[in-house]
Amino acid sequence: MAKVTIKHDNGTTTTYEIAQEINLYQFLAGLNLIDAPCGGAGGCGKCKVKIMQPRTAWQEEETAVFTGQELAAGWRLACQHSVSEDITVVLPTEEVVSEIISQGYLRDFAPKPYFAKRLAQNGDTMVMAGQEIIGIEKGDTRDRLYGLAVDIGTTTVVAGLIDLSSGQELASVSCLNGQKTFGQDVITRINYAMTNTNGTLIQQKTILQDLRKLIKGIFAQCGRDYAITFKDIYEITVGGNNTMIHLLAGIDPSSMGMSPYLPAFKGALVAKGASDWQLPVSDLCRVYCLPAVSAFVGGDISAGILACGIHQDARNILFIDIGTNGEMVLSGNGRLTACSCAAGPALEGMNISCGVRAARGAIEDVRLIGSGADMLVEVAVIGEVRPTGLCGSGLLAAVAELVRTGILHKSGRLLEHPLVEKVAGKKRFIIDRENEIYLTQQDIRQVQLAKGAILSGIQTMLQAAGVDFAEIDRVLVAGQFGAHLKAASLTGAGLIPRELENVITYVGNTSKSGAYLCLLSTEERESVEQLTSQINYIELSHLAGFDAVFVKAIEF
Ligand code: FES
């Protein structure tokens, strides 16, 4: 047994006891005290802590991040060290919590919840699931019928408490997905499941803990106001990517991690919340996870289609959700086409020299004003505090501005400019000299790969559907990433053609909106199951000639 003493930057100290050796990053991340872009893989240099005692030898990776003086003072990368004896750690900054988008666009619909209550002749209450009576409750409990609409994202989890009788959302809570300690993206989570004994079940346990925490959090927020208890939750609907749903169900996702990238299942999943997953809900509670289209076009995207109603819209609509994976759906010429691409981690601020998550201190927008030696770099920072780095939207904004001002060649090469410097033979564009924030040539290459993957995916879908860019009526951008993003950055960096700039709309967390629809309408649930079975899914990695489309699409 060892003690971990943590000194926070606000002067407080907390001590924890650990039963067995654990990586320091994993331990701190488990407490939500650290959230580095590479998730403990040793590649981002962002998990800085000061180890006060014991004196710890430094690793080679740390010499590239810290000066000799800092190393001598005890600064280390948490992910490079394990805890097996008493240790005292100083955290340099306050807890990092990403901004979480909990609301999304929702079209009109006719409510008709799957769960309902009817009064029996003897005064007791029948609980109905569809047409079936699944329980009898003593007395008249018709005013106690609630559900949860949940979005399980790779990074964040959001839950809304919904009154199933009125459709009103009473409260919404969110947290970071605790599985992030096993990897920041779906591929590393799948790898974790493949390479660790009980890797799937460990991750299932983690997400179930998150859900229990959120349910308790929601009642702490409003349970007393509405006189509701855990037992009044009869249904939970979940939108989530297919890896998240596999892990929630405790089903091995390994088959999605290797060619031909097939999920173990992709239809809607139904479970019993209390008995299957020990959630604090009614014993009658069912959990419904929206169906997926393929391994990497999941129930979160099905939910987005449903919430935005693009399957019922006669116009040509492009729906995109950009993250480590880019997921896209085109409603064109009367049919739905979908694909997904590996956009890589750059747009989430990972594997970028000065990349950070979209949280307080992240630069979310960049503008270049003037020219030549007089050029000024203006930045917008989340929380209006001292900038700590560039998040995905800031990164795209910076690249778009470099393209606009001609500092970036269409091949992606940084050209000569007073703000372009060479350090150790490598070019970088200085964004904030005082806070040492810059964009390297290598960072720009990462953006190029993401841009190429997304644009080539869109082009391929358009070609398959026989639709031109000029015929697109609307572009809907969903998910966490788009919240801080300007349409001009998307087009300026070339992810989406410039002529579509005026039809781009940000629609927010449509995964939760779609889950909400399925919670309140049996017909919407049937509709999402039908539409996912009819989508024309294109597997880009199997497509002849796709490489040539991709190579062309990486040009700015
Ligand atoms: S978490 Fe340690 S370097 Fe990224």
Side-chain angles (χ1 to χ4, degrees), residues 151-411:
D151 161 47
I152 300 183
T154 313
T155 310
T156 57
V157 187
V158 179
L161 175 66
I162 314 295
D163 180 336
L164 294 181
S165 306
S166 68
Q168 190 192 350
E169 178 165 357
L170 305 178
S172 178
V173 289
S174 56
C175 67
L176 292 173
N177 187 328
Q179 293 171 345
K180 68 186 186 309
T181 52
F182 309 115
Q184 297 281 340
D185 54 42
V186 293
I187 298 300
T188 43
R189 306 256 174 101
I190 292 172
N191 267 338
Y192 185 88
M194 285 167 99
T195 54
N196 289 274
T197 315
N198 291 330
T200 299
L201 296 180
I202 291 169
Q203 294 186 80
Q204 182 193 32
K205 195 172 155 201
T206 306
I207 186 62
L208 289 177
Q209 270 167 358
D210 284 344
L211 289 178
R212 284 182 207 117
K213 186 172 74 183
L214 287 181
I215 294 172
K216 286 178 184 161
I218 225 164
F219 281 97
Q221 201 182 102
C222 73
R224 199 172 289 170
D225 293 351
Y226 296 99
I228 307 168
T229 74
F230 297 141
K231 295 290 174 194
D232 298 325
I233 295 184
Y234 289 85
E235 189 160 39
I236 301 172
T237 49
V238 182
N241 68 54
N242 221 356
T243 305
M244 292 307 105
I245 300 302
H246 275 62
L247 294 174
L248 174 67
I251 295 172
D252 185 358
S254 300
S255 59
M256 293 190 282
M258 49 199 162
S259 183
Y261 310 107
L262 295 175
F265 71 97
K266 59 178 187 171
L269 178 96
V270 178
K272 290 180 178 160
S275 54
D276 291 349
W277 292 342
Q278 287 77 50
L279 295 173
V281 290
S282 159
D283 293 340
L284 301 175
C285 178
R286 305 249 173 110
V287 185
Y288 175 86
C289 302
L290 275 73
V293 178
S294 68
F296 297 113
V297 176
D300 50 346
I301 303 303
S302 314
I305 298 170
L306 193 70
C308 298
I310 68 173
H311 59 304
Q312 305 166 329
D313 201 313
R315 293 172 294 178
N316 293 327
I317 300 175
L318 181 60
F319 175 95
I320 52 177
D321 187 337
I322 305 170
T324 334
N325 229 38
E327 288 121 21
M328 296 160 262
V329 180
L330 173 73
S331 175
N333 279 340
R335 68 185 296 216
L336 294 167
T337 308
C339 72
S340 75
C341 63
L347 301 182
E348 295 203 334
M350 294 193 259
N351 287 2
I352 296 295
S353 315
C354 298
V356 291
R357 284 199 178 284
R360 215 159 81 93
I363 293 177
E364 59 173 335
D365 195 10
V366 175
R367 279 187 63 213
L368 303 182
I369 300 162
S371 61
D374 295 328
M375 180 173 274
L376 284 177
V377 184
E378 196 177 86
V379 298
V381 180
I382 300 175
E384 295 178 14
V385 294
R386 189 178 70 79
T388 53
L390 285 162
C391 65
S393 54
L395 178 67
L396 271 194
V399 169
E401 284 291 88
L402 290 172
V403 172
R404 181 183 65 78
T405 51
I407 300 171
L408 204 57
H409 185 259
K410 69 175 187 166
S411 65

Side-chain angles (χ1 to χ4, degrees), residues 100 104 131 140 212 259 269 322 335 348 362 433 436 438 454 478 508 525 528:
I100 298 176
Q131 295 305 315
D140 185 352
R212 284 182 207 117
S259 183
L269 178 96
I322 305 170
R335 68 185 296 216
E348 295 203 334
R433 194 178 297 280
E436 287 186 57
Y438 48 83
I454 290 163
R525 196 177 296 204
V528 76

Side-chain angles (χ1 to χ4, degrees), residues 71 90 116-117 142 184 191 274 401 497 500:
L71 288 167
V90 176
K117 286 187 174 180
R142 284 177 299 169
Q184 297 281 340
N191 267 338
E401 284 291 88
L500 297 180

Side-chain angles (χ1 to χ4, degrees), residues 25 34-48 61 65 77-80 184:
Y25 175 84
I34 208 165
D35 179 26
C38 83
C44 70
K46 296 288 187 314
C47 57
K48 296 173 184 174
E61 289 82 350
V65 178
L77 295 177
C79 67
Q80 301 299 313
Q184 297 281 340

